[in-house]
Amino acid sequence: MRPFAAANLVSQVQLAGRRAYATQRPSLIASRARWTPRPVQSQIALRQSFRQQSNLTPDKQQVKKGGFRFLRWTWRLTWLSAIAGLGYVGYGIYETRNPVDQPQPDPKKKTLVVLGTGWGSVSLLKKLDTENYNVVVVSPRNYFLFTPLLPSCTVGTIEHRSIMEPIRNFLRHKKAAVKYYEAEATKIDYEKRLVYINDESPIKGDVSQTQIPFDMLVVGVGAENATFGIPGVREHGLFLKEVGDAQAIRNRIMDCCETATFKDQSEEERQRLLHMVVVGGGPTGVEFAGELQDFFHSDLKKWIPEIKEKFHVTLVEALPNVLPMFSKQLIDYTEKTFAEETIDIRTKTMVKNVTDKYIEAESTGPDGKKQLERIPYGLLVWATGNAMRPLVKDLINQIPAQKDSRRGLAVNEYLVVKGADNVWAVGDCAVANYAPTAQVAAQEGAFLARMFNQMAKSEEIEAKLAELSDVQEKASSKEARNQAFDEIKDLQKRLRRMKGVNPFEYSHQGSLAYIGSEKAVADISWFSGNIASGGTITYFFWRSAYLSMCFSTRNRILVLMDWVKAKVFGRDVSRV
């Protein structure tokens, strides 16, 4: 009964559906028969564009998604690179701060004595393999000074300790221990192979004088300031060669400014006190003049407005132009920039006498006539010329081949002092037909390090050759003799390669100088020619170049922080 009832129910539902369809069909047909307006052209175009956009949407989303993925990975790589860089710098600082124990040198090896801690000596020590020699360093200055940035220390742009690297910091990281004595070398006895040293520090022990024997000697004591016999220069002028000089100049600048504002000071005396004279148109004098004018414009005239109209800088140069080692284009640019900065350049002017309040100078006019004039000053900075130190003069007198030397120790193409054995000279105390610059001294020191390393290896090979010769003579079998012969042949070949050392040849990388107002000039060697540039972009290149040339990571960080500090807070105008 139940299946039959279900079938009956289904048939009734189907019948009801047919009736409803028949009832509605006439109205449906009528509605379809009515006229409907056709879509206009704009509607068709809109629908087509909508369909196209609908079809393109997935691709655009994919491109957008891919772009975001690229940016996300770039950001991650940037973070990872920054973290890796910080980790590398941090590890380097940790390694510098925690030196390992050094083996003591073999007393049987030769004693190499290095005098001085300047550019030449430090470049030598930096690349020398100290395991090959007993190295002894003697210098009254227990640090290396990055002299190109010394003019910035005179006005507080950079603090002096930022460009100083303690000599023991890197000597403790050499392969073998190096002895250092803070002392002044007073005499070199060439015949006896002795160096006499004195402790010149304020605190002395029971022994303050002694002597050091040497097998090899490197003289890198530099030069002292030349006064050319002009009276009063050493008594009244300030030099710019050491840290103490920069500190003295900085104090003198502030003394002149404060004294000029003293109550009831005469107008004439104020003008004298605020007249800063720089003698020497080389890079040192030009950079100091530029730094001093920047100090006045950026800081002094803000905090001491009374000196605003009186402060003046004059650069005195005996030659026809400043920066003679630069191209004519850059010389003209420097002189034009100085004129804009109101720095007076007095070329063809020779200083004849210096008193405590003025200098007497002889200037040559355009017509060739010479005129003697007095130039009052408050600060006199002498930044020109080098002279031999007494130690170098005494050594020259001991060597007959050096009797004609007037500027320093004459050396050959291997930097060996002429007329002497096992004595070398680098830097300003050596005469090698190159300009006495830091760049030359650094390359000379690096050359000596390479040569000394090869000499040590050559001596080691020669000793081994002598040993193999004995083995060959005493060999009982033919095979042993042939084996020794092959080893001797191979060592002789290596020895010939090592002894073929090329002579020293200076490679000029270019010249840089800061000229004030955040401008610099650069004369850079490029293949067979030079690239000369000047301006603000060159100024940033000058900064980056000097920053990269700093001795250590510590120096670079400190110098960079000093630059930022001076830019944000200004230079300090207090007197210490």
Side-chain angles (χ1 to χ4, degrees):
M1 290 296 292
R2 288 181 182 176
F4 178 78
N8 190 20
L9 180 61
V10 170
S11 62
Q12 289 180 3
V13 170
Q14 290 176 350
L15 181 62
R18 290 192 192 99
R19 289 175 180 173
Y21 179 76
T23 306
Q24 295 176 359
R25 188 174 179 83
S27 61
L28 180 62
I29 294 173
S31 64
R32 287 183 177 178
R34 293 193 193 102
W35 177 85
T36 55
R38 297 180 63 183
V40 295
Q41 192 69 24
S42 60
Q43 291 176 336
I44 295 173
L46 183 63
R47 291 172 184 173
Q48 289 177 351
S49 65
F50 179 76
R51 291 193 189 100
Q52 290 175 358
Q53 289 179 0
S54 300
N55 294 332
L56 291 175
T57 299
D59 295 337
K60 284 192 173 182
Q61 288 178 351
Q62 187 174 1
V63 171
K64 193 173 182 181
K65 188 175 181 181
F68 276 120
R69 186 181 294 116
F70 173 76
L71 292 175
R72 186 165 58 249
W73 276 106
T74 303
W75 179 251
R76 289 175 181 174
L77 288 174
T78 303
W79 268 106
L80 288 174
S81 301
I83 293 171
L86 288 173
Y88 176 77
V89 172
Y91 177 75
I93 294 173
Y94 171 81
E95 194 176 33
T96 303
R97 291 271 295 155
N98 297 275
V100 298
D101 293 335
Q102 294 172 302
Q104 293 300 316
D106 186 357
K108 296 179 182 178
K109 294 184 177 179
K110 292 182 178 180
T111 299
L112 170 62
V113 176
V114 180
L115 303 181
T117 52
W119 282 90
S121 300
V122 168
S123 296
L124 163 65
L125 293 168
K126 198 173 183 181
K127 297 187 177 182
L128 179 69
D129 187 354
T130 55
E131 288 183 322
N132 298 325
Y133 304 96
N134 292 313
V135 183
V136 180
V137 181
V138 178
S139 175
R141 193 175 72 180
N142 70 344
Y143 57 87
F144 167 74
L145 180 65
F146 189 76
T147 50
L149 288 176
L150 192 59
S152 298
C153 297
T154 60
V155 296
T157 306
I158 294 175
E159 294 300 326
H160 62 274
R161 289 198 177 273
S162 299
I163 59 173
M164 295 164 58
E165 181 68 19
I167 196 72
R168 295 185 183 274
N169 278 21
F170 79 93
L171 290 182
R172 279 288 284 115
H173 289 277
K174 301 299 293 182
K175 290 183 179 179
V178 177
K179 290 188 180 297
Y180 168 73
Y181 300 113
E182 187 184 72
E184 182 82 36
T186 56
K187 182 178 176 59
I188 299 171
D189 192 328
Y190 173 67
E191 293 295 331
K192 296 180 180 179
R193 297 292 196 271
L194 292 174
V195 176
Y196 294 87
I197 62 174
N198 285 358
D199 182 5
E200 301 291 343
S201 63
I203 299 176
K204 295 180 175 61
D206 293 336
V207 178
S208 59
Q209 296 180 353
T210 187
Q211 57 194 29
I212 302 173
F214 67 86
D215 299 306
M216 302 165 64
L217 176 66
V218 176
V219 183
V221 295
E224 61 183 19
N225 297 284
T227 62
F228 306 104
I230 300 172
V233 173
R234 200 167 294 278
E235 293 80 7
H236 306 295
L238 296 176
F239 302 105
L240 188 51
K241 210 172 187 69
E242 302 289 344
V243 169
D245 299 334
Q247 292 175 320
I249 292 172
R250 190 171 178 177
N251 287 335
R252 185 64 177 264
I253 293 170
M254 296 314 304
D255 279 344
C256 289
C257 293
E258 297 294 351
T259 305
T261 59
F262 194 75
K263 187 176 183 297
D264 299 331
Q265 198 73 266
S266 67
E267 195 69 19
E268 183 181 357
E269 186 66 4
R270 285 183 180 179
Q271 288 183 350
R272 181 189 72 81
L273 289 168
L274 295 175
H275 188 200
M276 312 295 169
V277 177
V278 184
V279 178
T284 301
V286 167
E287 288 187 343
F288 171 68
E291 290 277 4
L292 183 56
Q293 193 68 16
D294 285 352
F295 185 34
F296 168 70
H297 279 301
S298 301
D299 301 282
L300 284 178
K301 71 178 184 180
K302 293 179 182 178
W303 307 119
I304 315 176
E306 300 95 318
I307 69 172
K308 186 175 181 180
E309 304 298 331
K310 304 290 188 299
F311 193 90
H312 188 56
V313 179
T314 298
L315 182 66
V316 177
E317 171 57 47
L319 296 177
N321 49 260
V322 298
L323 299 177
M325 69 288 298
F326 284 76
S327 63
K328 183 67 168 59
Q329 175 188 357
L330 295 180
I331 292 172
D332 294 340
Y333 179 77
T334 301
E335 292 178 351
K336 179 184 175 183
T337 303
F338 271 22
E340 294 172 354
E341 296 172 354
T342 65
I343 297 176
D344 187 21
I345 299 179
R346 307 284 294 273
T347 56
K348 297 182 181 179
T349 303
M350 298 181 64
V351 178
K352 296 296 184 180
N353 185 37
V354 177
T355 68
D356 60 339
K357 291 189 176 182
Y358 62 86
I359 63 174
E360 293 180 350
E362 185 182 72
S363 59
T364 304
D367 55 356
K369 291 184 179 180
K370 295 183 179 180
Q371 181 181 0
L372 191 65
E373 58 180 325
R374 288 185 176 182
I375 304 175
Y377 70 89
L379 167 70
L380 173 64
V381 175
W382 194 268
T384 179
N386 289 328
M388 288 189 294
R389 295 188 183 275
L391 176 74
V392 176
K393 290 180 181 178
D394 181 69
L395 181 59
I396 286 175
N397 293 331
Q398 297 180 47
I399 304 172
Q402 297 283 329
K403 63 179 181 179
D404 296 328
S405 297
R406 295 291 179 268
R407 295 186 293 115
L409 292 165
V411 297
N412 63 12
E413 64 272 19
Y414 293 96
L415 305 181
V416 179
V417 175
K418 292 181 179 179
D421 294 328
N422 294 332
V423 179
W424 293 262
V426 293
D428 293 350
C429 66
V431 180
N433 298 323
Y434 298 111
T437 63
Q439 193 176 159
V440 173
Q443 292 187 28
E444 289 175 342
F447 169 80
L448 280 188
R450 291 193 300 270
M451 189 171 69
F452 288 168
N453 292 337
Q454 289 188 1
M455 286 170 58
K457 291 178 182 178
S458 299
E459 291 175 359
E460 184 180 347
I461 291 175
E462 287 174 350
K464 198 168 183 180
L465 282 172
E467 183 181 343
L468 285 172
S469 297
D470 293 338
V471 170
Q472 187 181 23
E473 290 178 1
K474 297 176 182 179
S476 57
S477 64
K478 185 178 180 181
E479 292 181 359
R481 284 195 299 272
N482 289 338
Q483 184 179 359
F485 177 76
D486 291 338
E487 290 184 15
I488 289 173
K489 191 175 180 181
D490 181 58
L491 288 175
Q492 286 177 341
K493 190 183 296 183
R494 288 173 56 190
L495 186 62
R496 282 194 297 270
R497 285 199 302 266
M498 286 184 179
K499 286 193 171 182
V501 180
N502 295 324
F504 172 72
E505 186 175 349
Y506 170 62
S507 174
H508 184 62
Q509 304 299 315
S511 302
L512 297 168
Y514 178 64
I515 58 175
S517 297
E518 296 189 348
K519 295 178 182 178
V521 290
D523 207 343
I524 308 299
S525 299
W526 185 261
F527 293 102
S528 59
N530 285 357
I531 297 177
S533 66
T536 303
I537 295 177
T538 309
Y539 162 72
F540 288 111
F541 173 75
W542 171 82
R543 278 202 163 183
S544 61
Y546 277 2
L547 195 66
S548 65
M549 289 166 60
C550 285
F551 189 84
S552 64
T553 303
R554 168 185 167 274
N555 291 137
R556 296 184 189 98
I557 293 174
L558 291 176
V559 168
L560 191 60
M561 290 173 63
D562 286 342
W563 280 337
V564 173
K565 182 179 65 175
K567 192 68 175 177
V568 175
F569 299 105
R571 302 170 183 85
D572 186 13
V573 296
S574 59
R575 186 200 184 285
V576 180

